Amino acid sequence: MPRLTLAEQVAADARDKTLAQLVRQASSWDRKVVAQAVLIWMRDHDTVSANDLRDHLPDLAGGVLPGVLRGMSHNYLIHTGNYVPSTSPRTKGHPIAVYRRRTDADRAEAA
């Protein structure tokens, strides 16, 4: 993945903190529903993004879907380095991350 500029890194850090706060404030039910949806989706697909799951989930607290995906990237998922435009009208096509299942090779490389 290309190295981020200082401004991009500051913005990414702020985004991550905001998503983490939103996920902490969301109900455990919301978080568990999203995590379960990710696990089910990944049984039949190689990648996942918020676009893939949004229409299959009930109304959730804001930021829960991307926050849970980001959180799952610490153990189950890994960011592919790719982004796609969001299909949510609220985000106006903002780029969203695409993830794939973390493999044993990824874990070995990280160790």
Side-chain angles (χ1 to χ4, degrees), residues 15-104:
R15 175 206 60 216
D16 292 346
K17 287 178 184 174
T18 301
L19 285 175
Q21 180 180 8
L22 288 169
V23 169
R24 279 192 308 274
Q25 292 172 349
S27 73
S28 63
W29 184 87
D30 280 356
R31 293 188 304 268
K32 289 176 183 175
V33 165
V34 173
Q36 185 177 26
V38 170
L39 295 174
I40 291 168
W41 181 267
M42 293 307 293
R43 286 190 308 198
D44 299 322
H45 300 86
D46 294 330
T47 61
V48 64
S49 74
N51 287 347
D52 297 321
L53 301 175
R54 192 177 295 111
D55 293 336
H56 301 287
L57 293 167
D59 286 337
L60 301 166
V64 172
L65 178 53
V68 169
L69 285 168
R70 182 103 173 130
M72 290 180 81
S73 72
H74 297 291
N75 53 19
Y76 181 71
L77 300 174
I78 190 166
H79 187 274
T80 64
N82 296 324
Y83 293 86
V84 294
S86 174
T87 58
S88 171
R90 290 184 293 170
T91 60
K92 301 174 179 69
H94 184 78
I96 58 172
V98 177
Y99 298 91
R100 66 172 171 79
R101 186 178 299 113
R102 188 177 294 271
T103 65
D104 289 338

